[in-house]
Amino acid sequence: MKVLVLLSAGRHPASGRAGPVPVELAAVRLGASLGGADLAGLHAGPDADAVADALGHGLARLHLQPLAPDADPLGALEAAVRRLAPDLVLAGNRGQGGEDAGLLPYALAARLGRPIVADAVALASDGDGLVAEQALGRGARRRVELALPAVVTVHPSAPPPLPFAFGRRRSGTIERLPAFAADAPAPAAPFEERPYRKRPKLIAKAAAGASAADRLKAATEAASGGGRVLVAPDPAEAAAEILAHLRAIGVLKR
Amino acid sequence: MTPAPTLALLVLILAALAVAQALRRARLWRRGRPAHVDWLAGLKALPRRYLHDVHDVVARDPYAARMHAIAAGGLITASVLGVFGLVPALGHSPVYGALLALAFAAALAGGVMVGRRRSPVKPARLSGGRFRLVPPALTAYAGGGLLVGIAILAGPGFAALGWLGVALAAAGAAVLVYLLGDGPMRHVFAGALHLAAHPRSDRFEGGRETALHPVDLAAPQKLGAETPADFAWNRLLGFDACIQCGRCEVACPAFAAGQPLNPKKLIQDLVGSLAPGGAPYAGSPYPNARPVAGVGGPELPIVGLGAMVHPDTIWSCTTCRACVEECPMMIEHVDAIVDLRRFQTMELGAVPEKAVQPLLDLRQAEEPGGRALAARGDFAAGLALPKIQDRPAEARPAEVLLWLGEGAYDLRYGRTLRALVRLLGAAQVDFAVLGAEERDCGDLARRLGDEATFQDLARANIATLSRHRFGRILTADPHALHVIRNEYPAFGGHLEVVHHSSFLDELVAGGRLAVGDLGAALPGAVTYHDPCYLGRYNGETEAPRRLLDRLGLERREMARSGKRSMCCGGGGGAPVADIEGERRIPDLRMGQASETGAAIVAVACPTCTAMLEGVTGARPEVRDIAELLLAAVEAAPPAAAPARQRQPEPVA
């Protein structure tokens, strides 16, 4: 199986220094856990300085898709993935220190016409396909089977990255892919950057003035999903239930 | 033919066989990496190194010192005298016979003393096995020689006694030769050659060469040591010099805590890896030893479940150097452990699980906690902590640059640093800090074998330090002190570093700080815990004690103090490696402090502070010497205090 891990140039949240993103290094480990997989990294950018340390975390090869610093990487990544034709593309569920929107894997999957599974914490190959364990809220896990080729993003609660080994970084190789004619500069970020300011914490209205136990209950229950669990329901019953829920939360007006 | 020349021939054969055994062994050492050895200087210094450095260590056990002097001195003198039996005129000389008998009698007494050491019960630190053959072999050889001497002295009628002596000596000599190649007697030639070809030639004659040697990261060979052949040849020679006296195992804090490390067994495992199938080890095992396959060879891995040494063994070490300090054969255990760690970390990425994140943060944030470097000064909230970047360009260089170190992020240790900063203020010391430009010194990365990250940090720090103007560096962290003072020079950073204990002692001695009597305010005695990286690594044991004595406190010494102090368990990355044992090292050390009856343990290191403060239950209080000094300065009578009026602060 050919596995390609997308690596972005991250920034350490405290130091601001350029370096690989931990969740992408965790993706490298998941890729390596598939056993016998032909594992390589892919970075689109002017150079591989920021991501080269990934070679010390269990990656033997790294492809660099040369790209102007401010260009939109989507097209370049699409071209590189088509050229390298991996069975599985792994990515972190979001970057670190950039826009960190977590949208790129979806956009890339859409461009490639591949299915995407988000927030994997474990992978296992299963014949021609793949079994992924997905991280859901509150520690829940869901096992999904998917056919390859596919795109899978990795969740931060996946096993931590393999330890850094300088000798492996030293012996790892970086291969430059042919230059890509950038189709467009990255769209200007539709937001501005401001220093972070801590917001005052709001106490849930229902619990304000209530006992400590009530406030705790309100704080913890607010996050729970509610709803009903239907096991193997009749399609018509299921549809009716979905419609009722959508009406209840105001998505459908009638 | 008479007994005298026969004995002489026997001695010559023994010597020839000894040389043959040594050459056979040297073929094994040559499988190691090449090393530059100044043979001329080494051989010239050999007698001094032996009589001075080795003897100083051996003499800590007076019985062993007497035993070795009599046994070895007698054996060598007697054997050399024995060779003179070839001179026909001496073969019947009563004077020669008497001298020979005297020398062999000394060797015999030595042999008996060697035997008595293991009887009736062998002390735990000594080895059994082939070591049990040494006393009978020695006594047979010496006793036989004695008989020959007596026979010569007694005259021609006693030749039969002489022949009996020759036979006895030959039997003893045969066993000694056997033990010379693969047994306890190997230490004779390996130890002597090790002294001459020692990898740290500057550690002798009062010198202290304690800095780890750098790794050439650009060299094509593998990083660190995987197999015995990856060690320099004179390191392999050093392992062979081990006489298994077990002084290291008695001193080792990890051994005492029941962690799977025994320096003596580790050295024997390295010997066993180089020469599989040698003499079986018959000393104390690794406590709670983890199972390994026990397969080794000159080109086979040393560390691993399928090899000779379990990884937990090398990660248990606190790099406290107590074993090196106690070793009479001058073996460098810590160097060997760090070399093994370097391969595990840099080639395999096989570091202990809890050490992964600190090493990653050191790489990405230049700080093992991944915290902002600018937050290092947060402990000083409300105190003046002048930054060196804010000094006007035309100002004279700062008197000292205060290196805050890793402890600055720790809440407990922040109290110590606040005391230090207030003392600097009270003494009107012109000091400054690096602020956000101070990175971690790299100690943790280096001890955990991540030489690459260490070298990055060292070069970055040296570049930063060379940009600023200051007199010397002041630090309260002995680990930073050691790294900057002793290990940065290899990377071009030649900086003068002073520990806060010495600096504060200077301030008090120079009258810049007026000190009151703490005796009344702090009843009870104080005992000082020497940090390994200050005492053993840098030889600074006096200044902290002098300073404590100035405070009017009753000072008591723990059984292990000064250069022979016991580690707190916090060095060498051991807290992040966190190898399970039966006890905790700081608990053991705190127990030793409690035994003195002291009410306060004085410390001088952030790591010692953290480790000893973590001890639960009733115990002496942990106070840094800066905190104690501040209390004494505050207790000084107002007249003696510098007449400096504080400006009243505006009140909102």
Side-chain angles (χ1 to χ4, degrees), chain B residues 148 181 357:
Chain B
V148 175
Q357 193 58 44

Side-chain angles (χ1 to χ4, degrees), chain B residues 252-254 256-259 316 318 529 558 566-571 574-575 578-579 581-595 601 603 606-620 622:
Chain B
C252 179
Q259 288 172 283
S316 293
T318 67
H529 164 76
M558 287 184 255
M566 184 180 164
C567 177
C568 68
D578 199 20
I579 303 300
E582 289 162 36
R583 295 163 287 273
R584 294 177 68 249
I585 298 171
D587 290 354
L588 298 174
R589 185 57 173 164
M590 191 55 100
Q592 295 166 5
S594 301
E595 276 170 20
V601 191
V603 291
T607 316
C608 300
T609 309
M611 296 307 283
L612 294 177
E613 283 282 20
V615 176
T616 55
R619 58 159 170 86
V622 177

Side-chain angles (χ1 to χ4, degrees), chain B residues 339-382:
Chain B
D339 263 352
L340 292 170
R341 285 183 176 185
R342 281 171 172 168
F343 181 81
Q344 297 295 310
T345 302
M346 288 196 286
E347 292 287 6
L348 300 183
V351 291
E353 204 181 321
K354 290 176 197 168
V356 175
Q357 193 58 44
L359 286 178
L360 198 58
D361 280 331
L362 270 172
R363 221 174 151 73
Q364 299 192 340
E366 304 180 305
E367 198 286 307
R371 293 160 291 208
L373 297 181
R376 200 187 294 271
D378 287 359
F379 73 91

Side-chain angles (χ1 to χ4, degrees), chain B residues 383-409:
Chain B
L383 290 177
L385 199 61
K387 293 196 173 62
I388 201 158
Q389 300 84 350
D390 299 343
R391 295 172 72 87
E394 66 280 5
R396 59 190 171 79
E399 183 183 344
V400 294
L401 176 77
L402 178 59
W403 185 276
L404 295 171
E406 216 22 56
Y409 291 100

